[in-house]
């Protein structure tokens, strides 16, 4: 299943962000700590690198992520030039309170009355940007919801006298190259429900957890996972919870929804869907698949050209 979701307002938001980047000193990119690279918008990277702006990559929802995976991602991002990684949760005021000083350290030449520090907060839908804005300013200035794409327009706000914050709408990108990225984003509720089939997303998630966290499945639902695949896991959830349709068949759709909710809320435990190592493997696999497709297309084109040449000689 290849999931794509790029509503019209996101294209407008991208253009606005490109205009605003010229007058920005620092980018805060909010990532989902459970899938940092899958939730990293390549358009954000492109825009900030074009203007050579430093970046504070916030690994948000760290309370839902695997601590070992988060430590690996922190090291991965901190090794990049102009980037500082910070794993946190907006549920802890102490975590939020450290952000202004981290921003100041990335742009030490700004942050005085004559040169306020101008920060643009960016990220994918439903990753927690608006909640972060509200927590930073200690008041409700941004609309928060449990659905992707709640924020539709930019807004500029002041954090004290010397810091200006620009909140941007959640943006995805026009084409998600890796199918697994789309499925991870869908599982984590970053994609509108009209662009996905929950049953298929739940099966993908179950297959991932069978490989990474089988013990958490057993602890939550009480069944052994040996010999199971993703479909069997969702069916097991339906059976254990008594989700049945009229006639007695298992209610796979309801079980899929509940299973995804258990992951999203942390009821399943602290889970990360990728690490720097697994990301490298997925990228290598994708590159190999693209190379194979290109080679096949070139072979077909060459065969057509040869057949055409033979036909012309025959006439």
């Amino acid at each position: 299943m290849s999931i794509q979701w790029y509503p019209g307002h996101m294209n407008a938001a991208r253009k606005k962000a490109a205009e605003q980047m010229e007058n920005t000193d620092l980018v805060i990119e909010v990532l989902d700590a459970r899938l940092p690279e899958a939730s990293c918008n390549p358009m954000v990277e492109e825009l900030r690198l074009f203007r050579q702006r430093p970046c504070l990559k916030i690994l948000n929802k760290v309370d839902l992520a695997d601590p070992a995976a988060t430590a690996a991602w922190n090291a991965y991002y901190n090794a990049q030039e102009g980037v500082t990684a910070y794993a946190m949760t907006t549920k802890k005021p102490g975590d939020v309170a450290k952000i202004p000083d981290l921003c100041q350290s990335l742009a030490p030449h700004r942050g005085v009355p004559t040169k306020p520090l101008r920060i643009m907060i960016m990220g994918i839908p439903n990753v927690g940007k608006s909640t972060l804005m509200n927590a930073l300013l200690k008041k409700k200035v941004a609309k928060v919801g449990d659905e992707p794409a709640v924020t539709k327009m930019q807004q500029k706000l002041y954090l004290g006298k010397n810091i200006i914050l620009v909140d941007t709408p959640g943006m995805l990108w026009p084409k998600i190259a890796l199918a697994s990225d789309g499925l991870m984003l869908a599982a984590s509720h970053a994609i509108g429900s009209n662009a996905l089939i929950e049953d298929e997303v739940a099966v993908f998630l179950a297959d991932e957890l069978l490989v990474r966290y089988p013990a958490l499945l057993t602890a939550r639902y009480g069944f052994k996972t040996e010999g199971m695949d993703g479909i069997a896991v969702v069916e097991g959830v339906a059976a254990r919870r008594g989700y049945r349709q009229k006639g007695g068949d298992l209610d796979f759709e309801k079980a899929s929804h509940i299973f995804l909710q258990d992951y999203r809320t942390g009821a399943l435990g602290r889970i990360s869907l990728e690490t720097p190592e697994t990301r490298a493997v997925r990228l290598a696999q994708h590159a190999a698949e693209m190379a194979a497709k290109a080679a096949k297309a070139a072979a077909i084109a060459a065969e057509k050209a040869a057949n055409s040449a033979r036909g012309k000689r025959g006439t």
Side-chain angles (χ1 to χ4, degrees):
M1 181 182 182
S2 180
I3 296 176
Q4 306 292 336
W5 191 53
Y6 193 63
H9 79 272
M10 289 187 185
N11 188 46
R14 191 258 179 214
K15 292 178 180 177
K16 282 281 187 183
E19 294 170 4
Q20 184 66 37
M21 191 66 72
E22 184 178 0
N23 299 313
T24 295
D25 303 305
L26 167 71
V27 173
I28 291 179
E29 185 177 13
V30 185
L31 306 175
D32 189 324
R34 299 167 294 181
L35 50 150
E37 276 297 278
S39 62
C40 183
N41 188 336
M43 292 195 303
V44 172
E45 199 78 348
E46 178 187 336
L47 290 174
R48 78 168 188 85
L49 288 177
F50 178 74
R51 292 290 180 183
Q52 297 181 314
R53 300 300 188 249
C55 184
L56 175 63
K57 287 187 183 283
I58 289 182
L59 278 63
N60 194 27
K61 305 182 182 181
V62 71
D63 53 316
L64 302 177
D66 183 328
T70 299
W73 283 114
N74 263 333
Y76 174 84
Y77 288 123
N78 282 325
Q80 297 177 4
E81 186 177 355
V83 174
T84 293
Y86 178 47
M88 57 157 288
T89 170
T90 52
K91 296 175 184 176
K92 292 184 178 180
D95 285 1
V96 177
K98 295 176 182 177
I99 291 176
D101 286 344
L102 287 170
C103 292
Q104 193 68 68
S105 68
L106 283 165
H109 59 295
R110 308 289 302 194
V112 296
T114 54
K115 291 183 179 181
L117 178 57
R118 302 163 299 181
I119 301 170
M120 186 152 55
I121 300 182
M122 307 182 78
I124 64 169
N126 212 24
V127 78
K129 292 186 293 75
S130 296
T131 302
L132 177 62
M133 288 284 290
N134 293 341
L136 278 168
L137 294 162
K138 298 179 181 177
K139 59 182 179 180
K140 189 173 181 179
V141 295
K143 187 177 179 182
V144 175
D146 190 36
E147 286 295 324
V150 171
T151 304
K152 293 287 197 301
M153 298 176 63
Q154 280 189 8
Q155 60 173 334
K156 185 179 292 186
L157 300 151
Y158 287 83
L159 179 61
K161 294 180 179 179
N162 302 326
I163 298 179
I164 300 171
L165 301 175
V166 177
D167 184 25
T168 62
M171 292 189 298
L172 288 174
W173 48 103
K175 183 171 175 56
I176 299 172
L178 274 66
S180 57
D181 282 0
L183 288 160
M184 284 191 282
L185 290 167
S188 303
H189 209 23
I191 289 178
S193 56
N194 61 324
L196 57 92
I197 300 171
E198 274 199 332
D199 295 8
E200 296 186 14
V201 177
V203 170
F204 165 82
L205 178 63
D207 279 328
E208 289 293 308
L209 299 191
L210 283 169
V211 174
R212 299 172 186 274
Y213 304 98
L216 294 183
L217 293 172
T218 300
R220 178 65 177 170
Y221 303 115
F223 51 68
K224 300 294 184 182
T225 60
E226 289 82 0
M228 278 188 162
D229 61 7
I231 293 174
V233 168
V234 178
E235 289 176 341
V237 173
R240 285 283 176 165
R241 296 295 170 85
Y243 300 147
R244 294 190 179 274
Q245 301 173 330
K246 290 180 180 179
D249 290 341
L250 294 174
D251 192 334
F252 198 89
E253 184 177 345
K254 184 174 182 180
S256 294
H257 180 74
I258 295 300
F259 179 60
L260 290 172
Q261 284 296 102
D262 281 352
Y263 160 68
R264 291 166 180 169
T265 61
L268 271 169
R270 299 183 68 173
I271 290 168
S272 292
L273 296 181
E274 61 176 357
T275 66
E277 291 75 19
T278 63
R279 184 71 184 179
V281 170
R282 278 183 168 142
L283 289 174
Q285 289 173 341
H286 178 69
E289 289 168 4
M290 292 299 100
K293 286 182 180 179
K296 184 177 180 181
I300 291 172
E303 185 178 356
K304 285 182 178 179
N307 289 339
S308 177
R310 283 195 293 269
K312 287 179 181 179
R313 287 197 297 271
T315 58

